Amino acid sequence: MKFFADTANIEEIKELAETGLLDGVTTNPSLIAKTGQDFIKTIENICSLVEGPVSAEVTALDHKMMIVEGEKLSKIAPNVCIKVPLTWDGLKACKALSSSGININVTLCFSATQALLAAKAGASFISPFVGRLDDISGNGMGLIEDIVNIFNNYPDTLSTEVLVASIRSPLHVLESAKLGADVVTVPPNVLKMLASHPLTDKGLSSFLADWEKTGQKII
Ligand code: E4P
C-alpha cells in the first residue's frame, strides 16, 4: 500500500520525505490556503521533494476551464497529478485530460457509483473521503470496501487506484490496508501516530536502563 501525505506544508513534507517512506502528496485548496503561500510555487517545491504523484486541484467549475487549469498545472513538473471534483464537469475534464496522458485524481467521492464513473472516465486515482462520511454518521470504511470489491470485479477494464482520503486516525489506515486499498493519504500527525506504541516506549526505556548498568558503549 502506498502512503501519501495530506498536506501542503513544505517543512512537514521535507521531514516525511527524509524517511524514504513517502510515496506521494495530496493537496487541496484548503490546505494551500492554510500555508499562506503561492499555489504554483508550493506545488513546484513539493514536486522537487517527492518523486511520486503530487495532487494539485483545479478550482474552475466548468469542464473547459478545468481542462485549461489542469493543462497549466500539469506543466509544473512531470509528477503533478491533477485533482478534479466529482461532478459531471469534473468527469468530463477527467476524460479529456486523462486521454491526453495527464494523471487525474478525482476528489470529493462519497459513493461507490461516483467512484465507478471516475474509473470509467480514466482517473488514475479515486479519492473517497472516509472521515467526512463518518462525521455525518455514514460508513466511510464501508464505502472503501464497496469500491475495492467493485474494482476487483473488473480487473481488465478498471485500473483506477483507490486512494483513501479524509483520514482521521490510525484505525482508518489499518482498515484501508485490510480492505486492500491502493493508497492512503494521511495527515502528518496521523502518519507519525502509526509508528508509536506505549509498549515500544516502555520497552526501550527499560532496555536503555539495563544497558546503562553494563557501562558499555557500542561506539
Ligand atoms: C485529500 O485528497 C483530501 O483533500 C483530504 O483528505 C480531505 O481531508 P479532510 O476531510 O480532513 O479535509
Side-chain angles (χ1 to χ4, degrees):
M1 188 170 66
K2 293 176 211 165
F3 279 76
F4 290 2
D6 198 21
T7 178
N9 182 301
I10 296 294
E11 291 313 311
E12 287 179 335
I13 293 166
K14 245 187 222 162
E15 192 191 344
L16 293 170
E18 277 167 10
T19 64
L21 299 172
L22 198 59
D23 301 301
V25 171
T26 52
T27 70
N28 63 36
S30 305
L31 292 171
I32 293 290
K34 219 161 132 185
T35 67
Q37 303 295 313
D38 178 80
F39 178 32
I40 306 283
K41 281 204 188 92
T42 302
I43 297 297
E44 203 172 87
N45 283 342
I46 299 173
C47 288
S48 69
L49 295 170
V50 179
E51 275 180 34
V54 174
S55 289
E57 188 161 341
V58 300
T59 53
L61 292 177
D62 73 285
H63 69 280
K64 285 188 184 144
M65 273 314 290
M66 283 184 193
I67 293 168
V68 174
E69 289 184 357
E71 282 168 346
K72 175 175 174 178
L73 295 173
S74 72
K75 291 192 178 84
I76 298 175
N79 55 332
V80 169
C81 178
I82 303 302
K83 235 182 182 188
V84 301
L86 214 156
T87 58
W88 278 118
D89 279 83
L91 291 170
K92 280 193 206 169
C94 175
K95 184 72 189 164
L97 290 166
S98 63
S99 300
S100 62
I102 294 172
N103 285 334
I104 307 295
N105 174 358
V106 179
T107 189
L108 289 167
C109 169
F110 293 95
S111 78
T113 47
Q114 286 183 316
L116 194 50
L117 286 174
K120 283 186 71 70
S124 299
F125 301 100
I126 179 68
S127 291
F129 278 35
V130 293
R132 293 193 195 190
L133 263 182
D134 291 352
D135 289 345
I136 58 157
S137 304
N139 181 357
M141 295 320 301
L143 173 60
I144 301 305
E145 186 172 12
D146 282 349
I147 297 173
V148 169
N149 285 339
I150 290 168
F151 285 10
N152 284 345
N153 286 340
Y154 305 98
D156 299 333
T157 48
L158 301 182
S159 56
T160 304
E161 293 186 52
V162 180
L163 192 172
V164 183
S166 188
I167 280 184
R168 303 271 196 263
S169 71
L171 195 57
H172 276 148
V173 177
L174 176 67
E175 292 298 324
S176 300
K178 282 159 82 172
L179 292 169
D182 303 284
V183 193
V184 282
T185 188
V186 192
N189 64 320
V190 178
L191 210 39
K192 285 185 179 170
M193 282 161 75
L194 295 176
S196 72
H197 196 286
L199 289 180
T200 305
D201 298 341
K202 196 176 164 208
L204 185 59
S205 61
S206 82
F207 284 162
L208 290 181
D210 289 341
W211 177 246
E212 187 78 15
K213 287 179 211 154
T214 71
Q216 301 181 52
K217 285 200 182 327
I218 296 175
I219 292 169

